[in-house]
Amino acid sequence: MSKKKKICVVAASAVIVAPMLFTTPASASSVSNGILSKIERQLSVNKILKDIERLSMEDGQNKDNARVTGFEGEHEAAKYIQSQFKKLGLNSELKTVDGIDGFIDEGSSLTINNQSVTVKTLTYSQPTNQKLEGELVYAKTGTENECKEANLRGKIALIQRGTISFADKAKNAYNNGAIGVIIYNNASGMLNGTLGELNDSVVPTVGMSLEDGKVLVDKVNAGESVNVSMEVNTIVKPNSFSYNVVGELPAHKNVKNPQTLVVGAHFDSVSCPGANDNASGTATILELARLISQPEVKNKLQYNIKFVAFGAEEIGLVGSKEYVEQLVQSGESQNIAGMINLDMVGVGNQVVTYNIDDNSSHKITDIAHENINELGYKFGGHFNSGSSDHAPFEAAGIPSVFIQFDKDPYYHTDEDTLDKIDPQNIKETATLVLNMLMDMQEKSPNKPNKPNKKQFKNIEFENEEMPSL
Ligand code: BES
Ligand code: ZN
Protein backbone atom coordinates (compact mmCIF):
# COMPACT_ATOMS: atom_id res chain seq x y z
CA MET A 1 0.00 0.00 0.00
CA SER A 2 1.36 3.37 -0.84
CA LYS A 3 1.83 6.04 1.76
CA LYS A 4 -0.49 8.20 -0.21
CA LYS A 5 -3.33 5.93 0.73
CA LYS A 6 -2.32 5.62 4.34
CA ILE A 7 -1.89 9.26 5.06
CA CYS A 8 -4.68 11.40 3.86
CA VAL A 9 -4.27 15.08 3.47
CA VAL A 10 -7.32 17.26 3.74
CA ALA A 11 -7.70 20.01 1.24
CA ALA A 12 -7.61 23.44 2.83
CA SER A 13 -10.98 24.99 2.74
CA ALA A 14 -12.77 27.99 4.04
CA VAL A 15 -15.80 25.85 4.70
CA ILE A 16 -15.93 23.48 7.59
CA VAL A 17 -14.82 20.03 6.54
CA ALA A 18 -17.06 17.27 7.78
CA PRO A 19 -15.38 15.27 10.51
CA MET A 20 -13.38 12.45 8.96
CA LEU A 21 -11.39 9.71 10.54
CA PHE A 22 -8.35 9.00 8.50
CA THR A 23 -8.02 5.40 9.34
CA THR A 24 -6.79 3.22 6.56
CA PRO A 25 -4.77 1.11 8.94
CA ALA A 26 -2.37 -1.59 7.95
CA SER A 27 -3.90 -3.82 10.54
CA ALA A 28 -7.17 -3.99 12.40
CA SER A 29 -5.40 -3.78 15.72
CA SER A 30 -4.25 -0.26 15.07
CA VAL A 31 -7.89 0.73 14.97
CA SER A 32 -8.77 -1.14 18.13
CA ASN A 33 -5.88 0.55 19.87
CA GLY A 34 -8.42 3.28 20.19
CA ILE A 35 -8.66 6.66 18.60
CA LEU A 36 -8.10 8.51 21.85
CA SER A 37 -4.57 7.38 22.45
CA LYS A 38 -3.81 8.10 18.83
CA ILE A 39 -5.21 11.59 19.02
CA GLU A 40 -2.27 12.37 21.21
CA ARG A 41 -0.03 11.41 18.37
CA GLN A 42 -1.89 13.35 15.79
CA LEU A 43 -0.68 16.15 13.69
CA SER A 44 -2.49 19.35 14.49
CA VAL A 45 -2.32 22.01 11.82
CA ASN A 46 -4.19 24.25 14.25
CA LYS A 47 -1.41 24.01 16.77
CA ILE A 48 1.09 25.01 14.10
CA LEU A 49 -1.05 27.96 13.03
CA LYS A 50 -1.41 29.04 16.65
CA ASP A 51 2.35 29.01 17.04
CA ILE A 52 2.80 30.99 13.83
CA GLU A 53 0.36 33.50 15.27
CA ARG A 54 2.16 33.49 18.60
CA LEU A 55 5.47 34.16 16.89
CA SER A 56 4.33 36.76 14.38
CA MET A 57 1.68 38.71 16.20
CA GLU A 58 1.18 40.57 19.40
CA ASP A 59 -2.13 41.49 20.96
CA GLY A 60 -3.88 40.35 17.81
CA GLN A 61 -1.95 42.84 15.73
CA ASN A 62 0.74 42.02 13.25
CA LYS A 63 4.02 42.84 14.79
CA ASP A 64 6.17 45.05 12.62
CA ASN A 65 9.46 43.89 13.97
CA ALA A 66 8.48 40.47 15.14
CA ARG A 67 11.73 38.68 15.76
CA VAL A 68 14.46 40.85 14.31
CA THR A 69 17.91 39.37 14.91
CA GLY A 70 19.48 40.61 18.12
CA PHE A 71 16.38 42.39 19.45
CA GLU A 72 13.94 41.67 22.25
CA GLY A 73 11.35 39.93 20.05
CA GLU A 74 13.90 37.39 18.84
CA HIS A 75 15.08 36.65 22.38
CA GLU A 76 11.55 36.30 23.63
CA ALA A 77 10.74 33.90 20.76
CA ALA A 78 13.78 31.77 21.65
CA LYS A 79 12.56 31.46 25.22
CA TYR A 80 9.08 30.52 24.04
CA ILE A 81 10.52 27.80 21.77
CA GLN A 82 12.60 26.43 24.61
CA SER A 83 9.60 26.44 26.92
CA GLN A 84 7.74 24.33 24.34
CA PHE A 85 10.60 21.84 24.07
CA LYS A 86 10.71 21.62 27.86
CA LYS A 87 6.97 21.08 28.08
CA LEU A 88 7.34 18.14 25.71
CA GLY A 89 10.05 16.65 27.87
CA LEU A 90 12.86 17.16 25.37
CA ASN A 91 16.39 17.82 26.59
CA SER A 92 16.63 21.47 25.73
CA GLU A 93 19.36 24.02 25.51
CA LEU A 94 19.48 27.74 24.77
CA LYS A 95 22.84 28.39 23.14
CA THR A 96 23.89 32.03 23.06
CA VAL A 97 25.34 33.35 19.80
CA ASP A 98 27.48 36.41 20.52
CA GLY A 99 28.71 39.28 18.40
CA ILE A 100 25.43 40.20 16.72
CA ASP A 101 24.80 43.71 15.44
CA GLY A 102 21.10 44.36 15.65
CA PHE A 103 19.70 46.53 12.87
CA ILE A 104 16.17 47.61 12.02
CA ASP A 105 15.39 49.62 8.92
CA GLU A 106 12.63 52.07 9.74
CA GLY A 107 12.56 53.40 6.19
CA SER A 108 14.34 55.95 4.06
CA SER A 109 13.11 58.80 1.93
CA LEU A 110 14.72 61.01 -0.64
CA THR A 111 13.75 64.05 -2.65
CA ILE A 112 15.59 65.44 -5.63
CA ASN A 113 14.82 69.09 -6.30
CA ASN A 114 11.71 68.53 -4.15
CA GLN A 115 10.54 65.46 -6.11
CA SER A 116 10.43 62.21 -4.22
CA VAL A 117 12.40 59.20 -5.51
CA THR A 118 12.15 55.68 -4.10
CA VAL A 119 15.21 54.48 -2.20
CA LYS A 120 16.00 51.55 0.08
CA THR A 121 18.16 51.69 3.20
CA LEU A 122 21.30 49.60 2.92
CA THR A 123 21.52 47.22 5.86
CA TYR A 124 23.85 48.61 8.55
CA SER A 125 23.62 52.13 7.15
CA GLN A 126 24.08 54.93 9.64
CA PRO A 127 20.87 56.91 10.29
CA THR A 128 20.61 60.57 9.28
CA ASN A 129 19.13 61.59 12.67
CA GLN A 130 17.59 64.59 10.96
CA LYS A 131 17.08 65.34 7.28
CA LEU A 132 20.33 65.66 5.33
CA GLU A 133 20.43 68.41 2.73
CA GLY A 134 23.19 68.57 0.16
CA GLU A 135 24.23 68.89 -3.43
CA LEU A 136 24.51 65.70 -5.46
CA VAL A 137 27.93 64.77 -6.85
CA TYR A 138 28.63 61.83 -9.16
CA ALA A 139 31.54 59.68 -7.95
CA LYS A 140 31.37 56.90 -10.60
CA THR A 141 31.92 53.51 -8.89
CA GLY A 142 33.20 55.12 -5.69
CA THR A 143 36.79 53.88 -5.67
CA GLU A 144 39.29 55.78 -3.49
CA ASN A 145 40.51 57.80 -6.46
CA GLU A 146 37.06 58.48 -7.88
CA CYS A 147 35.87 59.73 -4.48
CA LYS A 148 38.98 61.90 -4.11
CA GLU A 149 38.52 63.46 -7.55
CA ALA A 150 34.80 64.10 -7.07
CA ASN A 151 35.09 66.80 -4.38
CA LEU A 152 32.63 65.26 -2.02
CA ARG A 153 33.10 67.45 1.06
CA GLY A 154 29.69 68.34 2.50
CA LYS A 155 27.97 66.74 -0.51
CA ILE A 156 25.90 63.65 -1.21
CA ALA A 157 27.68 61.11 -3.41
CA LEU A 158 25.93 59.29 -6.25
CA ILE A 159 27.78 56.05 -6.89
CA GLN A 160 27.19 53.19 -9.28
CA ARG A 161 27.11 49.55 -8.16
CA GLY A 162 30.09 47.38 -9.18
CA THR A 163 33.89 46.93 -8.93
CA ILE A 164 34.11 47.26 -5.13
CA SER A 165 31.81 46.43 -2.22
CA PHE A 166 28.99 48.69 -1.03
CA ALA A 167 30.89 49.06 2.27
CA ASP A 168 34.05 50.24 0.51
CA LYS A 169 32.09 52.77 -1.54
CA ALA A 170 30.46 54.17 1.62
CA LYS A 171 33.82 54.24 3.43
CA ASN A 172 35.63 56.01 0.57
CA ALA A 173 32.87 58.61 0.39
CA TYR A 174 33.04 59.14 4.17
CA ASN A 175 36.84 59.49 4.06
CA ASN A 176 36.46 62.21 1.45
CA GLY A 177 33.93 64.22 3.43
CA ALA A 178 30.61 63.12 1.91
CA ILE A 179 27.61 63.40 4.22
CA GLY A 180 25.47 60.79 2.48
CA VAL A 181 25.66 58.13 -0.27
CA ILE A 182 23.25 56.89 -2.91
CA ILE A 183 24.28 53.68 -4.65
CA TYR A 184 22.32 52.97 -7.81
CA ASN A 185 21.96 49.57 -9.39
CA ASN A 186 23.90 48.30 -12.40
CA ALA A 187 21.00 46.13 -13.52
CA SER A 188 17.37 47.03 -13.98
CA GLY A 189 15.40 47.56 -10.76
CA MET A 190 15.95 48.50 -7.16
CA LEU A 191 19.20 47.99 -5.32
CA ASN A 192 18.87 45.99 -2.10
CA GLY A 193 22.10 45.55 -0.24
CA THR A 194 24.08 45.38 2.95
CA LEU A 195 27.18 47.14 4.23
CA GLY A 196 28.04 43.88 6.00
CA GLU A 197 28.46 45.24 9.51
CA LEU A 198 27.82 48.26 11.69
CA ASN A 199 30.59 50.76 11.12
CA ASP A 200 30.98 54.33 12.35
CA SER A 201 33.19 55.11 9.37
CA VAL A 202 30.36 55.19 6.87
CA VAL A 203 27.69 57.77 6.15
CA PRO A 204 23.93 57.20 5.68
CA THR A 205 23.67 55.03 2.58
CA VAL A 206 20.67 54.13 0.42
CA GLY A 207 20.11 52.06 -2.69
CA MET A 208 18.36 53.29 -5.84
CA SER A 209 17.19 51.70 -9.09
CA LEU A 210 19.33 51.80 -12.22
CA GLU A 211 16.57 53.72 -13.98
CA ASP A 212 16.44 56.55 -11.40
CA GLY A 213 20.22 56.58 -11.02
CA LYS A 214 20.73 57.12 -14.76
CA VAL A 215 18.38 60.10 -14.78
CA LEU A 216 20.41 61.68 -11.97
CA VAL A 217 23.77 60.99 -13.60
CA ASP A 218 22.51 62.70 -16.77
CA LYS A 219 21.39 65.75 -14.78
CA VAL A 220 24.71 66.06 -12.95
CA ASN A 221 26.70 65.49 -16.16
CA ALA A 222 24.63 68.18 -17.86
CA GLY A 223 25.83 70.61 -15.20
CA GLU A 224 22.44 70.97 -13.53
CA SER A 225 22.48 71.68 -9.83
CA VAL A 226 20.79 68.77 -8.10
CA ASN A 227 19.71 69.27 -4.49
CA VAL A 228 19.09 66.22 -2.39
CA SER A 229 17.17 65.89 0.81
CA MET A 230 17.62 62.49 2.42
CA GLU A 231 16.32 60.77 5.52
CA VAL A 232 17.41 57.37 6.82
CA ASN A 233 15.73 55.95 9.90
CA THR A 234 17.31 52.98 11.59
CA ILE A 235 17.47 51.40 15.01
CA VAL A 236 20.78 49.79 15.85
CA LYS A 237 21.81 47.51 18.67
CA PRO A 238 25.55 46.91 18.47
CA ASN A 239 27.17 44.02 20.36
CA SER A 240 23.91 42.21 20.85
CA PHE A 241 23.39 38.45 20.78
CA SER A 242 21.10 35.75 19.48
CA TYR A 243 20.24 32.18 20.45
CA ASN A 244 20.09 28.74 18.91
CA VAL A 245 17.46 26.64 20.66
CA VAL A 246 17.99 22.88 20.74
CA GLY A 247 15.45 20.25 21.75
CA GLU A 248 16.69 16.67 21.73
CA LEU A 249 15.00 13.30 21.76
CA PRO A 250 17.61 10.62 22.32
CA ALA A 251 17.64 7.31 20.46
CA HIS A 252 16.51 4.24 22.34
CA LYS A 253 19.14 3.19 24.86
CA ASN A 254 19.67 -0.16 23.14
CA VAL A 255 20.91 1.55 20.00
CA LYS A 256 24.69 1.49 20.16
CA ASN A 257 26.40 4.74 19.14
CA PRO A 258 23.32 6.24 17.58
CA GLN A 259 23.67 8.84 14.90
CA THR A 260 21.83 12.14 15.00
CA LEU A 261 19.30 13.67 12.66
CA VAL A 262 18.84 17.44 12.80
CA VAL A 263 15.50 19.01 11.94
CA GLY A 264 16.01 22.77 11.80
CA ALA A 265 14.30 26.06 11.09
CA HIS A 266 15.33 29.64 11.73
CA PHE A 267 13.08 31.63 14.00
CA ASP A 268 14.47 35.15 13.57
CA SER A 269 12.95 37.56 11.05
CA VAL A 270 13.73 40.69 9.15
CA SER A 271 11.79 43.77 10.12
CA CYS A 272 8.35 42.35 9.30
CA PRO A 273 5.91 39.90 10.92
CA GLY A 274 7.75 36.94 9.38
CA ALA A 275 4.80 34.56 9.49
CA ASN A 276 6.06 32.54 6.55
CA ASP A 277 9.74 33.50 6.90
CA ASN A 278 10.05 31.64 9.17
CA ALA A 279 7.48 31.28 11.91
CA SER A 280 6.05 28.61 9.56
CA GLY A 281 9.12 26.36 9.73
CA THR A 282 9.64 27.02 13.42
CA ALA A 283 6.06 26.18 14.37
CA THR A 284 6.24 23.05 12.20
CA ILE A 285 9.31 21.71 13.99
CA LEU A 286 7.58 22.36 17.34
CA GLU A 287 4.66 20.23 16.22
CA LEU A 288 6.99 17.53 14.87
CA ALA A 289 8.71 17.53 18.25
CA ARG A 290 5.32 17.07 19.92
CA LEU A 291 4.40 14.15 17.65
CA ILE A 292 7.71 12.38 17.93
CA SER A 293 7.88 12.81 21.69
CA GLN A 294 4.79 10.62 22.07
CA PRO A 295 5.97 7.43 23.83
CA GLU A 296 4.89 5.15 20.98
CA VAL A 297 7.37 6.84 18.71
CA LYS A 298 9.96 8.15 21.13
CA ASN A 299 10.66 4.75 22.61
CA LYS A 300 11.57 3.34 19.24
CA LEU A 301 13.94 5.97 17.97
CA GLN A 302 16.95 4.66 16.10
CA TYR A 303 18.49 8.11 15.90
CA ASN A 304 18.92 10.98 18.27
CA ILE A 305 16.65 13.62 16.87
CA LYS A 306 17.68 17.19 17.43
CA PHE A 307 15.20 19.94 16.70
CA VAL A 308 17.14 23.13 16.28
CA ALA A 309 15.59 26.58 16.01
CA PHE A 310 18.32 28.84 14.64
CA GLY A 311 18.67 32.52 15.44
CA ALA A 312 20.51 35.15 13.40
CA GLU A 313 19.76 33.52 10.04
CA GLU A 314 18.65 36.75 8.42
CA ILE A 315 21.99 38.47 8.94
CA GLY A 316 23.97 35.75 7.16
CA LEU A 317 23.17 32.30 8.66
CA VAL A 318 25.13 33.32 11.74
CA GLY A 319 23.32 31.01 14.18
CA SER A 320 23.58 27.87 12.05
CA LYS A 321 27.19 28.63 11.11
CA GLU A 322 28.12 28.81 14.77
CA TYR A 323 26.13 25.67 15.54
CA VAL A 324 27.92 23.71 12.80
CA GLU A 325 31.30 25.13 13.79
CA GLN A 326 30.79 23.71 17.27
CA LEU A 327 29.76 20.35 15.79
CA VAL A 328 32.91 20.26 13.71
CA GLN A 329 35.18 21.31 16.58
CA SER A 330 33.75 18.69 18.93
CA GLY A 331 33.91 16.00 16.26
CA GLU A 332 30.13 15.53 16.52
CA SER A 333 29.61 16.49 12.90
CA GLN A 334 30.91 13.02 11.97
CA ASN A 335 27.94 11.59 13.77
CA ILE A 336 25.22 13.65 12.09
CA ALA A 337 23.42 11.46 9.57
CA GLY A 338 21.46 14.29 8.03
CA MET A 339 19.82 17.67 8.31
CA ILE A 340 16.35 18.74 7.19
CA ASN A 341 15.82 22.50 6.99
CA LEU A 342 12.34 24.00 6.87
CA ASP A 343 12.16 27.63 5.77
CA MET A 344 9.05 29.32 4.33
CA VAL A 345 6.77 26.32 4.19
CA GLY A 346 3.42 28.12 4.40
CA VAL A 347 2.90 30.08 1.17
CA GLY A 348 2.87 28.95 -2.44
CA ASN A 349 1.42 26.02 -4.30
CA GLN A 350 4.26 23.58 -4.76
CA VAL A 351 6.98 22.08 -2.65
CA VAL A 352 10.57 22.74 -3.78
CA THR A 353 13.91 21.49 -2.51
CA TYR A 354 17.40 22.95 -2.48
CA ASN A 355 21.00 22.01 -1.95
CA ILE A 356 23.91 24.40 -2.07
CA ASP A 357 25.26 22.67 -5.14
CA ASP A 358 25.37 19.41 -7.07
CA ASN A 359 28.59 18.22 -5.45
CA SER A 360 27.38 17.67 -1.92
CA SER A 361 25.61 14.51 -0.81
CA HIS A 362 22.00 14.37 -1.91
CA LYS A 363 21.20 11.43 0.32
CA ILE A 364 18.60 13.28 2.36
CA THR A 365 17.33 15.14 -0.69
CA ASP A 366 16.70 11.79 -2.41
CA ILE A 367 14.66 10.66 0.59
CA ALA A 368 12.68 13.91 0.37
CA HIS A 369 12.04 13.38 -3.34
CA GLU A 370 10.95 9.76 -2.88
CA ASN A 371 8.47 10.81 -0.22
CA ILE A 372 7.17 13.83 -2.13
CA ASN A 373 6.54 11.47 -4.98
CA GLU A 374 4.89 8.77 -2.88
CA LEU A 375 2.71 11.27 -1.09
CA GLY A 376 1.63 12.65 -4.44
CA TYR A 377 2.51 16.26 -3.71
CA LYS A 378 2.87 18.84 -6.41
CA PHE A 379 6.63 19.23 -6.82
CA GLY A 380 8.10 22.46 -8.17
CA GLY A 381 11.63 21.17 -8.65
CA HIS A 382 15.06 20.99 -7.11
CA PHE A 383 17.36 24.01 -7.15
CA ASN A 384 20.70 25.22 -5.88
CA SER A 385 20.63 27.77 -3.08
CA GLY A 386 22.72 28.55 -0.05
CA SER A 387 20.27 31.10 1.36
CA SER A 388 19.19 29.21 4.44
CA ASP A 389 20.45 27.12 7.36
CA HIS A 390 21.11 23.90 5.47
CA ALA A 391 24.09 25.63 3.85
CA PRO A 392 26.60 25.43 6.75
CA PHE A 393 25.65 21.78 7.35
CA GLU A 394 26.15 20.90 3.72
CA ALA A 395 29.38 22.83 3.62
CA ALA A 396 30.59 20.68 6.54
CA GLY A 397 29.80 17.53 4.57
CA ILE A 398 26.53 16.69 6.33
CA PRO A 399 23.85 15.44 3.91
CA SER A 400 21.07 18.02 4.04
CA VAL A 401 17.98 19.25 2.30
CA PHE A 402 16.18 22.58 2.38
CA ILE A 403 12.41 22.17 1.95
CA GLN A 404 10.25 25.14 1.00
CA PHE A 405 6.96 26.04 -0.61
CA ASP A 406 7.12 28.20 -3.69
CA LYS A 407 6.40 31.02 -4.32
CA ASP A 408 5.91 33.68 -1.66
CA PRO A 409 5.04 37.10 -3.08
CA TYR A 410 5.14 38.62 0.44
CA TYR A 411 8.73 37.58 1.18
CA HIS A 412 10.47 40.09 3.50
CA THR A 413 7.53 42.51 3.40
CA ASP A 414 5.03 43.72 5.97
CA GLU A 415 2.53 41.49 4.19
CA ASP A 416 4.20 38.33 5.49
CA THR A 417 1.32 37.65 7.87
CA LEU A 418 -0.61 34.68 9.24
CA ASP A 419 -3.53 35.10 6.83
CA LYS A 420 -1.24 34.25 3.90
CA ILE A 421 -0.34 30.85 5.34
CA ASP A 422 -2.00 27.93 3.56
CA PRO A 423 -2.85 25.21 6.11
CA GLN A 424 -2.52 22.61 3.39
CA ASN A 425 1.15 23.47 2.89
CA ILE A 426 1.75 23.19 6.59
CA LYS A 427 0.09 19.82 6.69
CA GLU A 428 2.06 18.56 3.72
CA THR A 429 5.34 19.75 5.14
CA ALA A 430 4.82 18.12 8.52
CA THR A 431 3.63 14.92 6.86
CA LEU A 432 6.59 14.88 4.52
CA VAL A 433 9.12 15.27 7.32
CA LEU A 434 7.40 12.59 9.41
CA ASN A 435 7.57 10.22 6.48
CA MET A 436 11.21 11.06 5.83
CA LEU A 437 12.15 10.46 9.45
CA MET A 438 10.31 7.19 9.39
CA ASP A 439 12.12 6.07 6.27
CA MET A 440 15.42 6.92 7.86
CA GLN A 441 14.37 5.00 10.97
CA GLU A 442 13.78 1.96 8.82
CA LYS A 443 17.01 2.27 6.94
CA SER A 444 19.03 2.99 10.05
CA PRO A 445 22.30 1.08 10.10
CA ASN A 446 22.18 0.53 13.87
CA LYS A 447 19.08 -1.45 14.51
CA PRO A 448 19.28 -3.90 17.35
CA ASN A 449 15.51 -4.22 17.29
CA LYS A 450 13.36 -4.51 14.28
CA PRO A 451 11.71 -1.12 14.06
CA ASN A 452 7.99 -1.03 13.98
CA LYS A 453 7.21 0.70 10.79
CA LYS A 454 3.56 1.01 11.68
CA GLN A 455 4.21 2.94 14.83
CA PHE A 456 5.56 5.72 12.78
CA LYS A 457 3.72 5.36 9.55
CA ASN A 458 0.22 5.16 10.84
CA ILE A 459 0.17 8.39 12.70
CA GLU A 460 -3.28 9.59 12.06
CA PHE A 461 -4.25 13.13 11.65
CA GLU A 462 -6.34 14.97 14.09
CA ASN A 463 -10.01 14.99 13.49
CA GLU A 464 -10.03 18.73 13.35
CA GLU A 465 -11.74 21.27 11.26
CA MET A 466 -9.39 22.89 8.84
CA PRO A 467 -9.12 26.51 9.84
CA SER A 468 -10.60 29.02 7.48
CA LEU A 469 -7.77 31.38 6.73
N1 BES B 1 13.91 32.20 3.78
C1 BES B 1 14.92 33.00 3.17
C2 BES B 1 15.62 32.28 2.03
C3 BES B 1 14.84 32.07 0.77
C4 BES B 1 13.88 32.95 0.32
C5 BES B 1 15.16 30.99 -0.01
C6 BES B 1 13.20 32.73 -0.86
C7 BES B 1 14.50 30.76 -1.20
C8 BES B 1 13.52 31.62 -1.62
C9 BES B 1 15.95 33.42 4.20
O1 BES B 1 15.40 33.76 5.43
C10 BES B 1 16.67 34.65 3.68
O2 BES B 1 16.08 35.69 3.62
N2 BES B 1 17.94 34.47 3.28
C11 BES B 1 18.72 35.53 2.74
C12 BES B 1 20.17 35.12 2.65
C13 BES B 1 20.84 34.84 3.96
C14 BES B 1 22.19 34.25 3.71
C15 BES B 1 20.94 36.10 4.80
C16 BES B 1 18.32 35.88 1.30
O3 BES B 1 17.87 34.96 0.58
O4 BES B 1 18.46 37.04 0.92
ZN1 ZN C 1 14.44 35.75 5.28
Side-chain angles (χ1 to χ4, degrees), residues 266 277 313-314 316-317 343-344 354 387 402 404 411-412:
H266 79 85
D277 185 10
E313 189 266 0
E314 296 287 5
L317 318 178
D343 190 0
M344 300 175 74
Y354 303 86
S387 310
F402 166 20
Q404 195 200 26
Y411 169 61
H412 283 189

Side-chain angles (χ1 to χ4, degrees), residues 392-403:
F393 285 83
E394 242 185 284
I398 298 167
S400 309
V401 65
F402 166 20
I403 296 169

Side-chain angles (χ1 to χ4, degrees), residues 351-355 365 368-369 372 379 381-383 401-404:
V351 64
V352 292
T353 57
Y354 303 86
N355 283 111
T365 311
H369 290 170
I372 289 168
F379 180 53
H382 178 75
F383 306 96
V401 65
F402 166 20
I403 296 169
Q404 195 200 26

Side-chain angles (χ1 to χ4, degrees), residues 15-188:
V15 283
I16 293 169
V17 179
M20 296 163 87
L21 299 177
F22 296 111
T23 47
T24 317
S27 72
S29 66
S30 56
V31 180
S32 56
N33 280 347
I35 299 294
L36 255 184
S37 69
K38 282 183 181 169
I39 283 175
E40 286 167 18
R41 296 184 281 121
Q42 286 168 357
L43 167 62
S44 167
V45 174
N46 277 332
K47 278 198 197 318
I48 300 177
L49 294 173
K50 284 232 169 70
D51 272 335
I52 296 175
E53 179 172 28
R54 167 73 180 69
L55 291 164
S56 62
M57 292 164 96
E58 194 175 52
D59 301 331
Q61 298 293 312
N62 291 327
K63 256 204 248 181
D64 272 352
N65 299 319
R67 304 174 307 282
V68 180
T69 319
F71 286 85
E72 191 61 31
E74 192 208 27
H75 300 160
E76 188 261 339
K79 286 175 189 154
Y80 172 72
I81 294 160
Q82 192 193 22
S83 75
Q84 296 304 101
F85 284 152
K86 275 191 180 159
K87 222 192 241 173
L88 297 169
L90 274 69
N91 306 327
S92 77
E93 205 185 341
L94 202 57
K95 291 158 90 85
T96 308
V97 181
D98 287 317
I100 302 287
D101 284 334
F103 179 88
I104 296 177
D105 174 19
E106 295 262 281
S108 296
S109 62
L110 187 101
T111 61
I112 305 280
N113 296 340
N114 293 323
Q115 267 202 328
S116 110
V117 179
T118 308
V119 289
K120 176 92 178 62
T121 313
L122 259 77
T123 304
Y124 297 125
S125 163
Q126 289 292 323
T128 52
N129 298 319
Q130 69 230 4
K131 249 188 194 146
L132 276 184
E133 309 272 351
E135 194 188 325
L136 190 70
V137 175
Y138 179 47
K140 299 179 181 160
T141 61
T143 61
E144 263 181 78
N145 272 342
E146 286 165 344
C147 284
K148 214 174 274 168
E149 280 162 18
N151 268 329
L152 292 175
R153 197 149 299 279
K155 309 276 171 62
I156 291 173
L158 176 65
I159 296 176
Q160 190 180 20
R161 182 180 196 171
T163 318
I164 57 170
S165 70
F166 299 144
D168 285 341
K169 292 172 197 281
K171 234 177 278 170
N172 293 339
Y174 170 86
N175 288 338
N176 286 283
I179 57 169
V181 170
I182 303 166
I183 302 176
Y184 71 97
N185 215 342
N186 57 4
S188 175

Side-chain angles (χ1 to χ4, degrees), residues 415-427:
E415 305 296 302
D416 182 5
T417 49
L418 177 68
D419 54 310
K420 313 301 187 317
I421 303 289
D422 185 341
Q424 175 74 7
N425 296 357
I426 296 295
K427 192 157 206 165

